[in-house]
Amino acid sequence: SLIGRQLGAYRVDSLLGAGGMGEVYRARDTKLGRDVAIKVLPSFFANDPDRLARLAREARLLAALNHPHIATIHGLEEADGIRALVMELVEGPTLAERLAQGSRLKAQGLPLNEALPIARQIAEALEAAHEKGVIHRDLKPANIKLGHDGNVKVLDFGVAKAFSSDGTGSDVSHLPTITATELQAGAIVGTPAYMSPEQARGQAIDKRTDIWAFGCVLYEMLTGRAVFPGETIQDTIAAVLEREPVWGALPAQTPAGIGQLLRRCLDKDSKHRLRDIGDARIEIDEALTKPSVDTRAATVPNVQTGRLRRVLPWAIALGAAAIAAAAVLAPWAPRQAVSPPAPLRLTADLGADASLATAVGQNTIIGASVALSPDGGLFAFAAQTTSAGTPQLYIRRLEQLQATPLAGTEGAANPFFSPDSRWIAFFAQGKLKKIPVAGGDVVTLCDAANGRGGSWGEDGTIVFTPSVAESGLFLWRVPSGGGTPEPLPTPPDREATQRWAQVLPGGKAVLYTGNTAVGGYEGAYLAVQPLPTGARKIVHRGGYYGRYLRSGHLVYIHEGTLVATPFDLTRLEVTGQPVSVLEGVATNPSTGASQFAVSDTGTIVYLPGRSNSAPVPIQLVDREGKTTPLRATPALWFNPAFAPDGRLAIDITDGRQLDIWVYASAGDTLSRLTLDAADHRGPVWTPDGRRIAYWRRRATDMPPNLYWQRADGTGEVQRLTNSRNPQTPWSWHPSGRFLAFTEVNPLTGTDVMILPMDGDEASGWKPGKPMPFLNSRFIENFPAFSPDGRWLAYETNESVPPQIYVRPFPGPGGKLQISADGGIQPTWSRTQHELFYAALNNRIMVVSYSVEGNSFRAEKPRLWSDARYVPREAGQRAFDLHPDGTRVALAGVVETQAQSKQEKVVFIFNFFDELRRIAPVSQAR
């Protein structure tokens, strides 16, 4: 015995108890003059350096927890080979002792007015710890002290994590939930019954395992019996995994909300379990102030009251308090007796002095700028404070009115949450990154030059579309902690892209939007890719941005409308007819993205609006902003490029294939140049207007490489490059002997390359070996030769926002920054000493320049025209300067298409109930 011994500054006075994880003594702190509890660690633990190191890390974290219902850890002590935890000494019985007293008195449980206040204090302790990222892992009555003053203290917070073994084949006697007494003769009193099913299986756990244990403790307080009793460890664990609680054991006076709360806490599927212990606290408060009775016959759990209360500030701010209050105070009854609650719809301000970043451009988001955490408690969005600003992530709790910017997320696009709602992943500066929802350091995971969505799986793997190197626009995966990405199985023939992935529940497959062309997604399809391998399966044609919902539905976008259909997650197939759900959801059919997100708890948030990439005409705009039609027929077109004589080459998609077309305004004729079964994009005229270079991609020769052919369609198509990396042409040198193009390199990102050309029209042309011109670690894009061939303008993201620079060609020489507040797509005038570029607010800027010897001198940028253009997909040209130097061809400029501020979003609560009403899942299966 250690009684009477001195451990450092602590004198051991008496033994308080013993268990499988060590002995607990009362001791006196001789330095500070206070009584403490000391847990002496067992020898198997004290001799394990890995566990000791883990315990030290955990103790440092737990020492920072300061809450009236959490027993404090004062520190670690080591003396004479004995290692011990020094903890706050809490006078009073444990909850286990209090329950045992009731059992001896043959009580069926604690009185309601005693049990609920205890449960509320336990919930407060868990809530405080969970907000700090700490999970108890071993909540049970023996770890809950009932102070003589009525104050409840939860003991051993987080210690179970340090006690647990990370390896396999661990001795079951060393589990933190099994005491020494319980090991005798293989019998147990019931402690393993507080393990969640996922914990019993040895799977990864999160805060929901504490919520399960909380439900077990609350059930036991109300009934006087363990929720999952058993004579042996195996019997108890089998009950946890296979049997349901005896709901009839709940006393008749149990409030309705408490009965429903217990069912949510004790749902064996953690995905359907109560997501936040704070909701339990709210439900207990409601029961303490307005008790109702008898829920033993209820079969469907409901915590809608707590969820609606969290969003009440939003409703009040919008003048909808009456509606919300009516929903909160509605007398919920079993589903068999009444209809599901009607959906609650709120139009809400963002809560920040910013507007959503929704435009399609190099500086703004091309996917969904809104995201909801799986637990439904957090709203994240990408927004910018000015129309020319750089997007940044904001986070807002639904019970709060204000959003908080997350530092370090400049340039963020396409945010998505981790399954435990503690992290947000996003794309920025050509990388996939993540940040804690509470803010902190941004972690870079891997390269992702032009991210097209991602999804964080339950196993810690992120599936995403990076658009780097050999990946093209297909699905890759990377550990959520960072590392080397790996491709998913090779895409089938004619699949040009896989994007907007969602890892399905269980992690056995990925849902994604697929298409045979990169652009025009109204004709796209939704497919699932089994994991880790297997043949892809198309589940629906004619839709994009698909999402599987926990209600058992597949939702997707078709012609600007959100459509739902029942979906069997086991068979991975649609099981019912599609039903229109929401009209007027902001979409982008040129990228296949949409502005909506749905939580696992049945809340949807969306941005109302129409497609910002619908078929549009091509118009000419002058300096005064006057517009005249160039080609009035709307189309899904990209990359306008003028020939010296005024003909216009563009790439157009019909939803199935991208082709190069040539438009002559004289006669209003549009002729298709590329006729084979392949995608073609990015036309660039030679200086004499005889040929057009472009990238070409077939399913059999991914990724795209460079080709050219005569502009009149005669002659053969000639391949110019042969590379394993995606390439895009941008500008011909006025001599016609150099082609500037970009190449996505796995080591250096997007580089500017130069392709030399030998020969002439008479003898024939022969492409030389491509040479790097700019291959830094940054993304360099849109290279453009000056009319005299001495300078090359380009865009780079070496700073935030991206800027335009000019360098001498072929060099040597330094660079000169041209843009002031960000810029993309540099374009030279053929007639004036002017360099045009697009500002980040989708307006055209111009810079006058002069050349003196070998010096390039640029004046201050000025607004060329107040007219805005409708942006195209990121990485594609949205405008070109007419050869006369006075007009610009761009997407149809219509006043209603001006980039209005997007400062409001729409929330719909009870969304799953509405889906089940209009598209019943049970009838489809």
Side-chain angles (χ1 to χ4, degrees), residues 274-528:
L274 189 72
R275 309 291 289 193
D276 194 329
I277 194 66
D279 285 337
R281 173 182 53 78
I282 292 171
E283 196 63 61
I284 294 171
D285 283 341
E286 184 78 10
L288 287 170
T289 57
K290 297 179 181 180
S292 57
V293 299
D294 201 358
T295 65
R296 288 177 293 173
T299 59
V300 180
N302 195 316
V303 291
Q304 192 66 29
T305 299
R307 186 161 69 249
L308 291 178
R309 187 180 293 105
R310 292 203 312 272
V311 304
L312 188 57
W314 296 50
I316 294 174
L318 295 162
I323 299 175
V328 170
L329 298 176
W332 304 111
R335 186 178 302 272
Q336 295 92 330
V338 298
S339 300
L344 173 63
R345 180 189 181 102
L346 299 176
T347 299
D349 292 329
L350 293 178
D353 186 16
S355 59
L356 287 178
T358 59
V360 185
Q362 194 72 5
N363 66 309
T364 48
I365 204 163
I366 67 167
S369 54
V370 296
L372 276 178
S373 60
D375 62 13
L378 294 170
F379 171 46
F381 56 93
Q384 52 202 31
T385 55
T386 66
S387 59
T390 298
Q392 182 180 17
L393 283 185
Y394 290 76
I395 191 76
R396 176 176 177 177
R397 296 189 179 277
L398 262 65
E399 69 269 19
Q400 297 174 343
L401 290 175
Q402 296 300 315
T404 302
L406 295 179
T409 62
E410 290 77 11
N414 301 313
F416 56 96
F417 280 91
S418 61
D420 61 6
S421 303
R422 294 173 59 184
W423 292 82
I424 305 174
F426 61 96
F427 299 89
Q429 288 89 42
K431 307 289 184 180
L432 175 61
K433 304 181 179 185
K434 68 176 183 179
I435 186 173
V437 297
D441 293 337
V442 174
V443 180
T444 297
L445 304 179
C446 63
D447 289 336
N450 291 295
R452 298 298 187 268
S455 178
W456 197 319
E458 297 164 9
D459 65 350
T461 299
I462 292 177
V463 176
F464 68 113
T465 302
S467 183
V468 295
E470 298 176 6
S471 68
L473 287 166
F474 303 107
L475 298 178
W476 283 54
R477 55 189 164 199
V478 67
S480 60
T484 302
E486 297 178 350
L488 263 64
T490 304
D493 290 347
R494 294 297 299 148
E495 189 165 56
T497 183
Q498 303 167 328
R499 54 181 59 195
W500 314 124
Q502 180 195 13
V503 181
L504 296 177
K508 300 299 183 182
V510 176
L511 174 71
Y512 67 90
T513 299
N515 203 8
T516 56
V518 182
Y521 287 83
E522 288 294 357
Y525 49 82
L526 305 178
V528 289

Side-chain angles (χ1 to χ4, degrees), residues 538-607:
I538 295 178
V539 297
H540 177 78
R541 294 186 181 274
Y544 56 93
Y545 208 76
R547 290 292 181 265
Y548 173 79
L549 308 184
R550 300 284 183 171
S551 62
H553 293 86
L554 176 66
V555 296
Y556 56 90
I557 295 294
H558 179 65
E559 296 181 351
T561 296
L562 185 69
V563 179
T565 181
F567 187 83
D568 190 312
L569 188 61
T570 302
R571 294 181 292 171
L572 297 178
E573 62 183 37
V574 170
T575 57
Q577 295 300 313
V579 177
S580 296
V581 180
L582 287 173
E583 295 184 355
V585 179
T587 62
N588 187 348
S590 73
T591 63
S594 184
Q595 297 286 350
F596 76 89
V598 187
S599 74
D600 289 347
T601 58
T603 300
I604 183 173
V605 60
Y606 72 94
L607 176 67

Side-chain angles (χ1 to χ4, degrees), residues 617-869:
I618 306 174
Q619 293 188 342
L620 290 173
V621 180
D622 62 17
R623 293 177 187 267
E624 285 70 41
K626 180 182 177 181
T627 63
T628 56
L630 176 62
R631 182 171 187 266
T633 304
L636 279 173
W637 58 266
F638 309 88
N639 297 304
F642 278 111
D645 61 4
R647 287 174 295 165
L648 184 72
I650 49 177
D651 49 70
I652 298 177
T653 179
D654 60 0
R656 295 181 297 274
Q657 182 170 303
L658 276 165
D659 282 299
I660 307 296
W661 296 70
V662 176
Y663 176 72
S665 57
D668 189 28
T669 59
L670 182 69
S671 304
R672 180 179 169 186
L673 178 67
T674 53
L675 302 175
D676 59 331
D679 283 329
H680 313 80
R681 168 159 272 185
V684 182
W685 294 87
T686 55
D688 59 10
R690 293 184 177 182
R691 295 174 180 268
I692 296 177
Y694 50 82
W695 71 242
R696 177 175 181 265
R697 173 174 54 196
R698 296 180 303 175
T700 56
D701 66 358
M702 303 277 186
N705 280 187
L706 307 185
Y707 294 76
W708 75 348
Q709 68 182 91
R710 292 184 179 277
D712 61 7
T714 62
E716 298 295 325
V717 175
Q718 182 181 0
R719 184 167 188 161
L720 301 179
T721 60
N722 195 332
S723 173
R724 298 173 61 189
N725 299 329
Q727 300 171 325
T728 302
W730 291 110
S731 178
W732 280 102
H733 191 270
S735 68
R737 294 189 173 274
F738 302 101
L739 174 61
F741 68 96
T742 53
E743 178 173 293
V744 182
N745 186 292
L747 301 178
T748 56
T750 302
D751 300 332
V752 173
M753 306 288 291
I754 303 296
L755 175 67
M757 298 292 294
D758 296 324
D760 52 37
E761 285 295 328
S763 62
W765 292 96
K766 181 179 179 181
K769 182 179 179 181
M771 305 174 296
F773 183 76
L774 292 170
N775 59 347
S776 72
R777 61 187 179 91
F778 302 108
I779 295 175
E780 294 95 7
N781 208 355
F782 296 102
F785 283 113
S786 62
D788 61 6
R790 297 179 58 191
W791 313 95
L792 189 76
Y794 62 97
E795 164 200 327
T796 178
N797 73 339
E798 63 181 272
S799 62
V800 177
Q803 303 286 0
I804 303 296
Y805 288 86
V806 167
R807 285 180 179 268
F809 180 82
K815 63 185 179 183
L816 176 67
Q817 182 173 327
I818 302 299
S819 56
D821 299 315
I824 59 176
Q825 303 179 30
T827 303
W828 300 87
S829 170
R830 294 178 173 95
T831 60
Q832 306 289 330
H833 279 193
E834 293 179 333
L835 176 59
F836 291 70
Y837 66 88
L840 303 187
N841 59 0
N842 302 322
R843 284 190 170 102
I844 307 297
M845 305 294 291
V846 64
V847 174
S848 297
Y849 68 90
S850 61
V851 177
E852 299 178 8
N854 293 324
S855 298
F856 186 94
R857 302 184 184 278
E859 297 180 6
K860 184 179 179 179
R862 65 185 188 277
L863 186 65
W864 180 76
S865 172
D866 194 51
R868 296 175 187 251
Y869 64 85

